[in-house]
Amino acid sequence: MHFLIGATLVSIQALGQGMVAPNTNRDSNMVKQLFFAGLREKMSENYVVAATNFNKIVGLDPNNDAAYFELANANLRLDKLLEAEQHIKQAIKINAGNLWYWRLLGEVYKRSNNMPELIGVFNQLIRLDPENDAYYFDKANAEFLANQPDAAKKTYDEIQGKFGDSRELVNARKRLQSNGNAAIESDIVKLLEGNQADVKNYLYAAGLLLQKGNDPEALKVLTKAQQLEPNNFEVNLALADIYRKQKNDESAFSSLKLAFQSNEMPLTEKVKIIAALFSKLNQPVVAKNVTELSRLVAEKNPTEAKALALYGDVLYQQNKLKEALVQYQAALKLNEQVYIVWEQVINIQTLLGHYDEAIKVGDEALSIYPNQASLYYYMAYAQFKTGKYEAAQSNLKISSQLDVDNKSLQTQIYALQGDVYINQNNFAQAKTAFEKAIAIEPDNYLIMNNYAYYLALRNDDLKKAAKYSETAALAMPNNASILDTYAFILFKQQKYDLAKIWIEKALQNNSSKNGVYLERYGDILFMKGEKDAALIQWLKAKEAGNGSEVLIKKINEKKYFK
């Protein structure tokens, strides 16, 4: 128990003995009932309810210093330091001779790291209880922490003159001499923990040490705090932060998991921490632990859509699409009013090739969010993939009109329009759409590559196709598909030597054997007159799974066919 709980007896005495100016309301049964109700709630650690009761009392009796004291005590327990300071100062204003009031004000200043004001409080405590040497030592410690070593030395001299020499005084002087202005763990903890240990005080002590850059001593303080309350999430978060700074990932995540297991830790704080780690999910250690943390959050909050969606986000970031989809769908069952989750569901459905399901989900989402351009785009993509070309074009038109300022989306809309037009055998419109897409985003090399490939397939403007394809290949030299497209266009232009260079680059950048690339390599070699080498590549293409009739004919007749 913290020493302030013991002060309850003082409050009761103040209430019963009239230690402050009498007031008719103060003596009323209502005030007494509220006061004792507040004390009961305080002893049960229901500080919010306790504060409500004491607030009612000071409303009835503005001169009730005991109520102000208890109100400040509740505020302190709720970490409302400003309110605690205001209320205890009001109590002191009414009754400046109460030792407990000054001690509580000192507690507030310790928590807020206000050492200059804390020194003043110890002066008052010394005034009220001049024979208590602990106040003198605490004052010297406060002066030490306030970077006032000369003042601390004078206080130690005062202690020696009043109380004589002691082992504690000798040790205190040694610390002052050896550390200069650098506070160590024992000094800070001694000041903050008071007569009995309190985890909150250890946390603030650690905070002071961290401010001074003394991480090793802060770690010692937090370790002591964890021994007192192993499941205190604030302590475990602080430990995780120190371990992270020490690059001790194992201990950091171990402490984070302990913190996340606490029901006292706000969900918003857990979400914030996990979101901050998203950028590091490419690191296996981080991915493993963040996945476990987010799973823990989802399991502990099964009725919170935010918790399930968070787990879905972590899985999605790791390309675990099926698992992410399960979490997003569960989140929507709890709360369908979260747009971004709808978008993720339809996005994943399209990525997985579940186009009919994506259309169904899109219809449901649009019934709630009829003005979201991205939903219409996803719907159009799924419809394109299922051969519903007119419906796709209609949704693309709506999408384009709903978000005209979104350049990235507009680019994707025009590119998809181009794909749809091609499947509708409307190549003139397709070319217009692709040109618009490239005009908006001239560095979108994937769209540029696709357009060049379509041009090459139709032998339409091979010069433009080569220009676009070369630009894309030079910009993305490790993308095998883009390199293959450029080789294909060069082959069409009968630039076989150059085509050979680029198809070899494509094969070098393709981890698995690609039957299409190998066949193309054989075609190029054949046109260069290397017929035996061409046959070898065609055979490799067949072994890689390319079973096209044209390839088989090339192999059987040992010659090139279109």
PDB file of all heavy atoms in Angstrom, residues 121-138:
ATOM      1  N   VAL A 121       8.679  22.174  -1.180  1.00  0.00           N
ATOM      2  CA  VAL A 121       7.789  21.338  -0.372  1.00  0.00           C
ATOM      3  C   VAL A 121       8.546  20.750   0.814  1.00  0.00           C
ATOM      4  O   VAL A 121       8.044  20.740   1.949  1.00  0.00           O
ATOM      5  CB  VAL A 121       7.178  20.219  -1.239  1.00  0.00           C
ATOM      6  CG1 VAL A 121       6.476  19.176  -0.356  1.00  0.00           C
ATOM      7  CG2 VAL A 121       6.202  20.795  -2.251  1.00  0.00           C
ATOM      8  N   PHE A 122       9.785  20.265   0.560  1.00  0.00           N
ATOM      9  CA  PHE A 122      10.559  19.705   1.662  1.00  0.00           C
ATOM     10  C   PHE A 122      10.907  20.779   2.696  1.00  0.00           C
ATOM     11  O   PHE A 122      11.005  20.492   3.899  1.00  0.00           O
ATOM     12  CB  PHE A 122      11.817  19.017   1.135  1.00  0.00           C
ATOM     13  CG  PHE A 122      11.540  17.682   0.499  1.00  0.00           C
ATOM     14  CD1 PHE A 122      11.987  17.391  -0.774  1.00  0.00           C
ATOM     15  CD2 PHE A 122      10.821  16.714   1.189  1.00  0.00           C
ATOM     16  CE1 PHE A 122      11.734  16.172  -1.365  1.00  0.00           C
ATOM     17  CE2 PHE A 122      10.555  15.479   0.605  1.00  0.00           C
ATOM     18  CZ  PHE A 122      11.005  15.218  -0.674  1.00  0.00           C
ATOM     19  N   ASN A 123      11.054  22.010   2.257  1.00  0.00           N
ATOM     20  CA  ASN A 123      11.264  23.099   3.224  1.00  0.00           C
ATOM     21  C   ASN A 123      10.062  23.236   4.151  1.00  0.00           C
ATOM     22  O   ASN A 123      10.215  23.468   5.362  1.00  0.00           O
ATOM     23  CB  ASN A 123      11.513  24.413   2.483  1.00  0.00           C
ATOM     24  CG  ASN A 123      12.925  24.505   1.926  1.00  0.00           C
ATOM     25  OD1 ASN A 123      13.858  23.917   2.476  1.00  0.00           O
ATOM     26  ND2 ASN A 123      13.094  25.243   0.837  1.00  0.00           N
ATOM     27  N   GLN A 124       8.868  23.081   3.586  1.00  0.00           N
ATOM     28  CA  GLN A 124       7.648  23.175   4.406  1.00  0.00           C
ATOM     29  C   GLN A 124       7.524  21.971   5.345  1.00  0.00           C
ATOM     30  O   GLN A 124       7.102  22.114   6.503  1.00  0.00           O
ATOM     31  CB  GLN A 124       6.413  23.257   3.496  1.00  0.00           C
ATOM     32  CG  GLN A 124       6.324  24.530   2.673  1.00  0.00           C
ATOM     33  CD  GLN A 124       6.188  25.761   3.550  1.00  0.00           C
ATOM     34  OE1 GLN A 124       5.551  25.733   4.609  1.00  0.00           O
ATOM     35  NE2 GLN A 124       6.821  26.855   3.124  1.00  0.00           N
ATOM     36  N   LEU A 125       7.882  20.783   4.839  1.00  0.00           N
ATOM     37  CA  LEU A 125       7.816  19.600   5.685  1.00  0.00           C
ATOM     38  C   LEU A 125       8.809  19.706   6.840  1.00  0.00           C
ATOM     39  O   LEU A 125       8.518  19.292   7.974  1.00  0.00           O
ATOM     40  CB  LEU A 125       8.107  18.343   4.847  1.00  0.00           C
ATOM     41  CG  LEU A 125       6.996  17.937   3.866  1.00  0.00           C
ATOM     42  CD1 LEU A 125       7.487  16.858   2.918  1.00  0.00           C
ATOM     43  CD2 LEU A 125       5.762  17.452   4.622  1.00  0.00           C
ATOM     44  N   ILE A 126       9.979  20.277   6.554  1.00  0.00           N
ATOM     45  CA  ILE A 126      10.965  20.498   7.620  1.00  0.00           C
ATOM     46  C   ILE A 126      10.429  21.513   8.630  1.00  0.00           C
ATOM     47  O   ILE A 126      10.633  21.382   9.842  1.00  0.00           O
ATOM     48  CB  ILE A 126      12.303  20.964   7.006  1.00  0.00           C
ATOM     49  CG1 ILE A 126      12.964  19.797   6.248  1.00  0.00           C
ATOM     50  CG2 ILE A 126      13.240  21.521   8.080  1.00  0.00           C
ATOM     51  CD1 ILE A 126      14.150  20.206   5.398  1.00  0.00           C
ATOM     52  N   ARG A 127       9.726  22.512   8.130  1.00  0.00           N
ATOM     53  CA  ARG A 127       9.126  23.513   9.028  1.00  0.00           C
ATOM     54  C   ARG A 127       8.126  22.848   9.973  1.00  0.00           C
ATOM     55  O   ARG A 127       8.089  23.165  11.174  1.00  0.00           O
ATOM     56  CB  ARG A 127       8.419  24.584   8.193  1.00  0.00           C
ATOM     57  CG  ARG A 127       7.604  25.593   9.018  1.00  0.00           C
ATOM     58  CD  ARG A 127       6.891  26.604   8.128  1.00  0.00           C
ATOM     59  NE  ARG A 127       5.870  25.984   7.280  1.00  0.00           N
ATOM     60  CZ  ARG A 127       4.635  25.703   7.694  1.00  0.00           C
ATOM     61  NH1 ARG A 127       4.271  25.950   8.953  1.00  0.00           N
ATOM     62  NH2 ARG A 127       3.763  25.165   6.866  1.00  0.00           N
ATOM     63  N   LEU A 128       7.337  21.922   9.428  1.00  0.00           N
ATOM     64  CA  LEU A 128       6.296  21.285  10.221  1.00  0.00           C
ATOM     65  C   LEU A 128       6.837  20.164  11.113  1.00  0.00           C
ATOM     66  O   LEU A 128       6.271  19.885  12.177  1.00  0.00           O
ATOM     67  CB  LEU A 128       5.205  20.714   9.296  1.00  0.00           C
ATOM     68  CG  LEU A 128       4.385  21.754   8.524  1.00  0.00           C
ATOM     69  CD1 LEU A 128       3.512  21.086   7.466  1.00  0.00           C
ATOM     70  CD2 LEU A 128       3.514  22.558   9.480  1.00  0.00           C
ATOM     71  N   ASP A 129       7.908  19.521  10.656  1.00  0.00           N
ATOM     72  CA  ASP A 129       8.460  18.388  11.417  1.00  0.00           C
ATOM     73  C   ASP A 129       9.983  18.467  11.392  1.00  0.00           C
ATOM     74  O   ASP A 129      10.658  17.676  10.730  1.00  0.00           O
ATOM     75  CB  ASP A 129       7.964  17.078  10.791  1.00  0.00           C
ATOM     76  CG  ASP A 129       8.311  15.859  11.649  1.00  0.00           C
ATOM     77  OD1 ASP A 129       8.871  16.043  12.746  1.00  0.00           O
ATOM     78  OD2 ASP A 129       8.031  14.728  11.199  1.00  0.00           O
ATOM     79  N   PRO A 130      10.564  19.437  12.092  1.00  0.00           N
ATOM     80  CA  PRO A 130      12.003  19.703  11.989  1.00  0.00           C
ATOM     81  C   PRO A 130      12.888  18.598  12.555  1.00  0.00           C
ATOM     82  O   PRO A 130      14.099  18.595  12.304  1.00  0.00           O
ATOM     83  CB  PRO A 130      12.179  20.999  12.798  1.00  0.00           C
ATOM     84  CG  PRO A 130      11.017  21.021  13.739  1.00  0.00           C
ATOM     85  CD  PRO A 130       9.889  20.361  13.020  1.00  0.00           C
ATOM     86  N   GLU A 131      12.332  17.632  13.260  1.00  0.00           N
ATOM     87  CA  GLU A 131      13.148  16.582  13.856  1.00  0.00           C
ATOM     88  C   GLU A 131      13.199  15.317  12.993  1.00  0.00           C
ATOM     89  O   GLU A 131      13.793  14.320  13.394  1.00  0.00           O
ATOM     90  CB  GLU A 131      12.614  16.234  15.250  1.00  0.00           C
ATOM     91  CG  GLU A 131      12.616  17.405  16.214  1.00  0.00           C
ATOM     92  CD  GLU A 131      13.994  18.046  16.339  1.00  0.00           C
ATOM     93  OE1 GLU A 131      14.992  17.288  16.427  1.00  0.00           O
ATOM     94  OE2 GLU A 131      14.068  19.289  16.331  1.00  0.00           O
ATOM     95  N   ASN A 132      12.571  15.371  11.835  1.00  0.00           N
ATOM     96  CA  ASN A 132      12.555  14.205  10.947  1.00  0.00           C
ATOM     97  C   ASN A 132      13.682  14.352   9.933  1.00  0.00           C
ATOM     98  O   ASN A 132      13.583  15.116   8.970  1.00  0.00           O
ATOM     99  CB  ASN A 132      11.193  14.101  10.243  1.00  0.00           C
ATOM    100  CG  ASN A 132      11.039  12.796   9.472  1.00  0.00           C
ATOM    101  OD1 ASN A 132      12.018  12.192   9.052  1.00  0.00           O
ATOM    102  ND2 ASN A 132       9.792  12.382   9.286  1.00  0.00           N
ATOM    103  N   ASP A 133      14.763  13.610  10.139  1.00  0.00           N
ATOM    104  CA  ASP A 133      15.929  13.780   9.269  1.00  0.00           C
ATOM    105  C   ASP A 133      15.675  13.316   7.831  1.00  0.00           C
ATOM    106  O   ASP A 133      16.383  13.713   6.898  1.00  0.00           O
ATOM    107  CB  ASP A 133      17.147  13.061   9.848  1.00  0.00           C
ATOM    108  CG  ASP A 133      16.971  11.554   9.904  1.00  0.00           C
ATOM    109  OD1 ASP A 133      15.814  11.083   9.814  1.00  0.00           O
ATOM    110  OD2 ASP A 133      17.992  10.842  10.043  1.00  0.00           O
ATOM    111  N   ALA A 134      14.641  12.473   7.640  1.00  0.00           N
ATOM    112  CA  ALA A 134      14.350  11.973   6.291  1.00  0.00           C
ATOM    113  C   ALA A 134      14.019  13.116   5.342  1.00  0.00           C
ATOM    114  O   ALA A 134      14.378  13.082   4.153  1.00  0.00           O
ATOM    115  CB  ALA A 134      13.187  10.974   6.333  1.00  0.00           C
ATOM    116  N   TYR A 135      13.342  14.139   5.843  1.00  0.00           N
ATOM    117  CA  TYR A 135      12.974  15.270   4.985  1.00  0.00           C
ATOM    118  C   TYR A 135      14.217  16.034   4.517  1.00  0.00           C
ATOM    119  O   TYR A 135      14.269  16.532   3.389  1.00  0.00           O
ATOM    120  CB  TYR A 135      12.022  16.217   5.716  1.00  0.00           C
ATOM    121  CG  TYR A 135      10.664  15.602   6.012  1.00  0.00           C
ATOM    122  CD1 TYR A 135      10.025  15.846   7.223  1.00  0.00           C
ATOM    123  CD2 TYR A 135      10.042  14.780   5.081  1.00  0.00           C
ATOM    124  CE1 TYR A 135       8.776  15.299   7.504  1.00  0.00           C
ATOM    125  CE2 TYR A 135       8.800  14.224   5.351  1.00  0.00           C
ATOM    126  CZ  TYR A 135       8.168  14.481   6.576  1.00  0.00           C
ATOM    127  OH  TYR A 135       6.948  13.924   6.836  1.00  0.00           O
ATOM    128  N   TYR A 136      15.206  16.118   5.380  1.00  0.00           N
ATOM    129  CA  TYR A 136      16.449  16.816   5.020  1.00  0.00           C
ATOM    130  C   TYR A 136      17.195  16.032   3.922  1.00  0.00           C
ATOM    131  O   TYR A 136      17.688  16.627   2.952  1.00  0.00           O
ATOM    132  CB  TYR A 136      17.354  16.972   6.244  1.00  0.00           C
ATOM    133  CG  TYR A 136      16.789  17.862   7.318  1.00  0.00           C
ATOM    134  CD1 TYR A 136      15.915  17.374   8.281  1.00  0.00           C
ATOM    135  CD2 TYR A 136      17.160  19.215   7.390  1.00  0.00           C
ATOM    136  CE1 TYR A 136      15.416  18.183   9.284  1.00  0.00           C
ATOM    137  CE2 TYR A 136      16.660  20.035   8.394  1.00  0.00           C
ATOM    138  CZ  TYR A 136      15.777  19.514   9.333  1.00  0.00           C
ATOM    139  OH  TYR A 136      15.283  20.338  10.314  1.00  0.00           O
ATOM    140  N   PHE A 137      17.264  14.704   4.103  1.00  0.00           N
ATOM    141  CA  PHE A 137      17.939  13.889   3.086  1.00  0.00           C
ATOM    142  C   PHE A 137      17.188  13.952   1.749  1.00  0.00           C
ATOM    143  O   PHE A 137      17.802  14.035   0.685  1.00  0.00           O
ATOM    144  CB  PHE A 137      18.036  12.430   3.557  1.00  0.00           C
ATOM    145  CG  PHE A 137      19.187  12.179   4.483  1.00  0.00           C
ATOM    146  CD1 PHE A 137      18.988  12.038   5.857  1.00  0.00           C
ATOM    147  CD2 PHE A 137      20.482  12.078   3.993  1.00  0.00           C
ATOM    148  CE1 PHE A 137      20.054  11.800   6.721  1.00  0.00           C
ATOM    149  CE2 PHE A 137      21.571  11.839   4.848  1.00  0.00           C
ATOM    150  CZ  PHE A 137      21.353  11.701   6.219  1.00  0.00           C
ATOM    151  N   ASP A 138      15.843  13.911   1.823  1.00  0.00           N
ATOM    152  CA  ASP A 138      15.049  13.991   0.590  1.00  0.00           C
ATOM    153  C   ASP A 138      15.238  15.349  -0.092  1.00  0.00           C
ATOM    154  O   ASP A 138      15.302  15.435  -1.327  1.00  0.00           O
ATOM    155  CB  ASP A 138      13.565  13.776   0.890  1.00  0.00           C
ATOM    156  CG  ASP A 138      13.244  12.313   1.153  1.00  0.00           C
ATOM    157  OD1 ASP A 138      14.082  11.459   0.810  1.00  0.00           O
ATOM    158  OD2 ASP A 138      12.156  12.022   1.681  1.00  0.00           O
TER     159      ASP A 138
END
